[in-house]
Amino acid sequence: MAIHPPTSGEPARFNGEPARNPGAATAVRSEPPHLERQLTNRHIQLIAIGGAIGTGLFMGSGKTISAAGPSVIFVYMIIGFMLFFVMRAMGELLLSNLNYKSFSDFAADLLGPWAGFFTGWTYWFCWVITGIADVIAIAGYSKELWPALPLWIPGLATVAILLLLNLATVKAFGETEFWFALIKIVAIAALIIVGLFMIFTGFQSDAGTASFTNLWSHGGFFPNEFMGFVAGFQIAVFAFVGIELVGTTAAEARNPERTLPKAINAIPVRVLLFYVGALIILMAVTPWTQFAAGHSPFIGMFSLAGLGAAATVVNLVVLTSAMSSANSGIYSTSRMVFGLAQEGDAPGIFSRLSTRKVPSNALFLSCVLLLSGVVLMYAGQDVGKAFEMVTTVSAVCFIFVWSIILASYIAFRRRRPHLHDASQFKMPGGIPAVWVVYAFFAFVLWALTTQPDTLLALLVTPVWFVVLGVAWAILRRRPAHLARFEVFRAELRADQAAAGQNGGQAPGVAEEVQQARK
């Protein structure tokens, strides 16, 4: 929503504008308890890195490599390049109004209340599904370490641990994610260093000699031709799920004007290092023909080097990566439901904050739903198939969220050209770049239709949007929601009035908004 309570140390604002008079400030301060800005620059940077290094890289890259061969390098580069534009669009919009809590806020402001409702709930659904995939991954890798361990134990333990960590404070989440992300960075750096040593020393194994020539000497860069290249996009897209997570931290970042641009601009370098760099090393040490779906290439490379202990450590790192992703999911879903509840799009019970300024009720909801991952494993008895199904559904829903971000940017350029002109963090490429990314998303959706397993998940996903459409049709007619829409319109008029005063008083603005709230 366009007007939100001020965070610690900030003046009250109307649509990014400082309050024009004491009455306006008082009106805003009378709002319910709000989230606090406790995430520092190092938290934001590592959360951004953690979001860019998902479970899909550690667990899903085996399938991607076996399908696309060395061309998987270009798959990850293309996806990273396209999503960079989405992130830049999101960054420009969030910084145009520091009172936006997340992208569902600017979607509601720029596209209409329906967009906030669909975006917020779909993003919540995305992370619930992703969290279920992470619980499945954790259970699967735990069974490799401890074969006799029942699947439900690691699943339940994961949810309990993350719930306790997130119930503390948002700073506790930031610290946890900081160390989770750091572990992933160290693991990938170690893989690259060990891999380079094996390549330059001509390491010998049953698969052959470690050499960069392995990248093109087994059928070239496109051994499975164009359709093999297309197949690589299916699971690779899921590897980037969470890249937009930094956008949900906007309301709790201490200095968003500095930290958000820094985190977003570093995305291309991170993609080149953590994805492209790691995959080049993996396929140089072991020919791509030796990789298979369901097996982590990271564990395989250390085992190949005879570093049994290191392989065990990497298995623990993969578990940590899944824990990190689940941790991000619990955080983002709770904040999204909290925002939806504040705006009347979710039950009011989820808008309550604990004494530590944490949306505890929303956290409990997310954790309960994550436990369905354990049920799914026992129902299917196939960890790999369950992981593929939920990751495809999640990827399709994330594409919808990313598309709404771009649609909001188009509306922003049309309706707020003066804010775009004043922006210090403009999206490169502008509107033409948006349409290029949309064309890419259409290509990815087509790619999902080319394989039976991903096609099934793609056909199931629209059920979610049908459910949302029915819920919206009911909700939008209710008096409470109509009142919320009146507040929304009053805030838009407040923005226009404040802009029209050119820095002067905007009489009646605060009173109008307060009246709408009543």
Side-chain angles (χ1 to χ4, degrees):
M1 195 55 64
I3 299 181
H4 294 301
T7 48
S8 303
E10 285 192 345
R13 292 175 179 263
F14 286 102
N15 289 301
E17 301 278 349
R20 303 297 182 185
N21 52 54
T26 303
V28 176
R29 289 194 186 100
S30 66
E31 290 295 316
H34 52 274
L35 301 172
E36 292 189 339
R37 295 190 183 275
Q38 296 182 8
L39 297 178
T40 64
N41 179 58
R42 70 182 178 90
H43 293 141
I44 298 298
Q45 299 307 317
L46 269 293
I47 287 171
I49 294 176
I53 308 173
T55 313
L57 176 63
F58 287 102
M59 188 171 181
S61 54
K63 178 184 178 182
T64 313
I65 293 172
S66 64
S71 67
V72 71
I73 296 170
F74 304 112
V75 170
Y76 281 94
M77 288 177 68
I78 292 170
I79 297 174
F81 178 75
M82 293 297 176
L83 291 184
F84 174 66
F85 289 105
V86 177
M87 293 295 293
R88 283 297 300 260
M90 181 185 73
E92 181 175 345
L93 292 173
L94 287 173
L95 293 178
S96 72
N97 180 345
L98 293 182
N99 290 301
Y100 286 142
K101 295 190 299 296
S102 69
F103 35 82
S104 87
D105 278 1
F106 64 62
D109 186 11
L110 295 165
L111 299 177
W114 69 269
F117 178 84
F118 273 77
T119 304
W121 278 115
T122 299
Y123 192 68
W124 170 84
F125 179 69
C126 285
W127 270 112
V128 167
I129 293 296
T130 302
I132 291 172
D134 293 326
V135 170
I136 291 171
I138 290 168
Y141 278 106
S142 297
K143 198 166 184 64
E144 287 192 18
L145 289 170
W146 304 284
L149 189 68
L151 289 174
W152 66 268
I153 293 179
L156 185 62
T158 298
V159 175
I161 291 170
L162 295 180
L163 174 62
L164 291 175
L165 289 172
N166 279 271
L167 279 175
T169 61
V170 67
K171 188 174 182 180
F173 160 77
E175 285 295 329
T176 304
E177 196 58 27
F178 174 86
W179 290 106
F180 276 162
L182 196 60
I183 290 171
K184 288 190 280 189
I185 292 169
V186 171
I188 294 176
L191 176 131
I192 292 174
I193 292 170
V194 171
L196 286 172
F197 176 80
M198 294 169 73
I199 293 168
F200 289 124
T201 57
F203 181 82
Q204 296 283 339
S205 68
D206 293 339
T209 304
S211 170
F212 285 116
T213 59
N214 284 329
L215 293 172
W216 57 81
S217 60
H218 295 269
F221 275 100
F222 296 86
N224 293 331
E225 300 180 339
F226 179 70
M227 291 311 296
F229 177 66
V230 169
F233 284 90
Q234 297 168 4
I235 196 71
V237 169
F238 179 74
F240 286 87
V241 161
I243 197 171
E244 76 301 313
L245 180 65
V246 69
T248 64
T249 67
E252 294 173 285
R254 285 185 182 172
N255 188 0
E257 301 99 324
R258 182 171 67 91
T259 56
L260 290 181
K262 187 175 179 181
I264 291 171
N265 283 335
I267 286 173
V269 175
R270 289 164 183 161
V271 169
L272 287 174
L273 176 63
F274 298 124
Y275 283 94
V276 178
L279 292 173
I280 287 175
I281 294 299
L282 285 170
M283 289 184 289
V285 171
T286 306
W288 72 271
T289 53
Q290 303 297 312
F291 293 94
H295 299 279
S296 172
F298 290 78
I299 297 173
M301 198 195 85
F302 283 106
S303 298
L304 187 68
L307 303 173
T312 302
V313 170
V314 174
N315 214 328
L316 292 172
V317 170
V318 174
L319 283 174
T320 302
S321 174
M323 286 278 285
S324 169
S325 180
N327 190 40
S328 299
I330 289 174
Y331 169 83
S332 57
T333 52
S334 63
R335 267 54 179 185
M336 196 61 72
V337 171
F338 169 75
L340 288 166
Q342 278 198 323
E343 297 173 358
D345 289 339
I349 190 174
F350 298 121
S351 66
R352 299 172 188 170
L353 294 179
S354 69
T355 55
R356 297 177 180 271
K357 304 298 183 184
V358 170
S360 53
N361 291 334
L363 278 170
F364 281 115
L365 173 67
S366 299
C367 289
V368 168
L369 291 173
L370 288 189
L371 293 177
S372 62
V374 179
V375 177
L376 187 62
M377 282 185 296
Y378 279 104
Q381 291 297 322
D382 188 333
V383 171
K385 289 294 183 182
F387 184 80
E388 288 174 14
M389 173 66 77
V390 295
T391 53
T392 302
V393 172
S394 178
V396 174
C397 290
F398 270 102
I399 288 174
F400 171 81
V401 172
W402 297 333
S403 298
I404 289 291
I405 291 174
L406 294 176
S408 300
Y409 175 80
I410 293 175
F412 171 75
R413 289 290 302 272
R414 185 180 67 252
R415 296 177 54 190
R416 314 270 171 83
H418 59 290
L419 292 181
H420 169 70
D421 293 338
S423 175
Q424 299 298 310
F425 193 59
K426 292 183 175 68
M427 173 189 170
I431 301 298
V434 171
W435 293 112
V436 171
V437 178
Y438 272 143
F440 171 71
F441 286 163
F443 164 76
V444 171
L445 292 177
W446 169 76
L448 293 173
T449 68
T450 61
Q451 298 295 324
D453 53 348
T454 54
L455 175 60
L456 177 61
L458 184 63
L459 294 176
V460 168
T461 306
V463 174
W464 167 252
F465 293 102
V466 171
V467 171
L468 271 188
V470 172
W472 173 247
I474 297 171
L475 181 67
R476 65 192 295 266
R477 292 184 174 88
R478 291 188 173 180
H481 193 273
L482 291 174
R484 175 244 182 198
F485 182 60
E486 286 303 314
V487 173
F488 179 82
R489 292 198 303 178
E491 289 169 346
L492 289 182
R493 288 195 294 270
D495 180 36
Q496 295 166 356
Q501 295 296 321
N502 293 322
Q505 296 265 330
V509 166
E511 292 78 2
E512 180 183 2
V513 174
Q514 279 297 91
Q515 186 61 37
R517 290 190 186 282
K518 292 178 183 178

